[in-house]
Amino acid sequence: MNHPIFRQVYLYVVFFFAGLFFYYFYFYNPALYYHLYQPIFLFDRTFFQDFLVYPGGMAEWLTDYFLQFLSLRFWGALIVVSIFIFIFIVISQLLKKFNSGKFILILAFLPLGFLFILVNQYNFPVVVAVKYLIALVLFSGYTRTEKYLKVIYILGNIVFYLFLGGWVFLFYILLCILYELLYRKNYMNKISAGVHA
């Protein structure tokens, strides 16, 4: 990974996200999103408890905390770009695990293009992007968890469901199932083939 070509590619990635920040700071203006939704966030027990009564409420509470900073142009642009950066990092790390070779960066950028189109609509709920980021982080953790610890992770699904809510939790579960059915099965077959060789 210390090869000059890799360093040059990652330099382009840095320039890309710097350009993205420039775009959101000067052209998109997240403050307009804030004024459209006027998200209210209170450091209050009653306010917090209102988000505990339905699945996905915790992720919405967390998102509302950050949305209040969208009223400030710099911090708003930084928050939006940070979502892109974290999604890119998690996806690229997952692709490295699945041996996607030289196409890792290209494949990691594909979801960002789709997200870019959605986020540029001022009526797009940012909480959706935050929930999918959390789901990807949880899935990344699942792929790194040792087999004997997976039981603890599975028991944690109750909390994950309450945190994420229905559809995004289903997305996370489907990723875990596909991982077990496709990647894990192929990995175990390669190991057994190596033993018998």
Side-chain angles (χ1 to χ4, degrees):
M1 296 298 280
N2 290 324
H3 194 277
I5 293 176
F6 284 106
R7 285 200 295 269
Q8 187 177 8
V9 168
Y10 285 111
L11 188 62
Y12 289 136
V13 171
V14 170
F15 279 126
F16 170 80
F17 284 114
L20 199 62
F21 175 83
F22 178 84
Y23 168 79
Y24 279 111
F25 183 80
Y26 285 103
F27 298 104
Y28 177 78
N29 192 3
L32 294 179
Y33 182 92
Y34 172 84
H35 290 298
L36 177 66
Y37 283 93
Q38 289 288 320
I40 297 172
F41 186 88
L42 302 172
F43 286 101
D44 181 76
R45 182 184 297 178
T46 305
F47 180 78
F48 176 72
Q49 287 174 344
D50 288 341
F51 289 91
L52 295 176
V53 297
Y54 61 94
M58 284 297 298
E60 291 182 17
W61 179 82
L62 180 66
T63 305
D64 282 353
Y65 171 76
F66 287 105
L67 286 184
Q68 61 186 326
F69 298 105
L70 294 187
S71 60
L72 306 170
R73 200 162 186 161
F74 173 82
W75 291 108
L78 186 63
I79 288 168
V80 173
V81 173
S82 295
I83 294 172
F84 279 91
I85 291 173
F86 285 124
I87 289 176
F88 172 79
I89 290 171
V90 174
I91 291 176
S92 60
Q93 291 299 316
L94 285 169
L95 290 172
K96 284 179 185 177
K97 181 175 181 64
F98 300 139
N99 298 320
S100 297
K102 59 184 178 181
F103 299 107
I104 287 174
L105 291 177
I106 296 171
L107 292 172
F109 271 113
L110 287 177
L112 297 186
F114 181 63
L115 183 62
F116 179 77
I117 295 169
L118 293 175
V119 171
N120 279 324
Q121 309 298 317
Y122 283 108
N123 60 351
F124 173 72
V126 176
V127 67
V128 173
V130 173
K131 284 183 177 182
Y132 277 98
L133 170 59
I134 295 169
L136 287 171
V137 170
L138 290 174
F139 173 63
S140 178
Y142 180 83
T143 62
R144 296 167 187 269
T145 305
E146 295 295 332
K147 190 173 181 180
Y148 60 90
L149 293 175
K150 286 256 174 33
V151 176
I152 299 172
Y153 219 92
I154 291 169
L155 291 174
N157 282 333
I158 298 169
V159 178
F160 300 158
Y161 171 71
L162 294 175
F163 197 90
L164 292 173
W167 289 105
V168 183
F169 178 75
L170 181 61
F171 168 72
Y172 156 72
I173 290 296
L174 286 174
L175 287 177
C176 294
I177 291 171
L178 287 172
Y179 172 76
E180 291 296 336
L181 290 177
L182 301 176
Y183 179 78
R184 176 74 72 174
K185 185 177 179 180
N186 291 337
Y187 180 71
M188 296 307 292
N189 289 341
K190 286 179 183 177
I191 292 176
S192 61
V195 171
H196 295 299

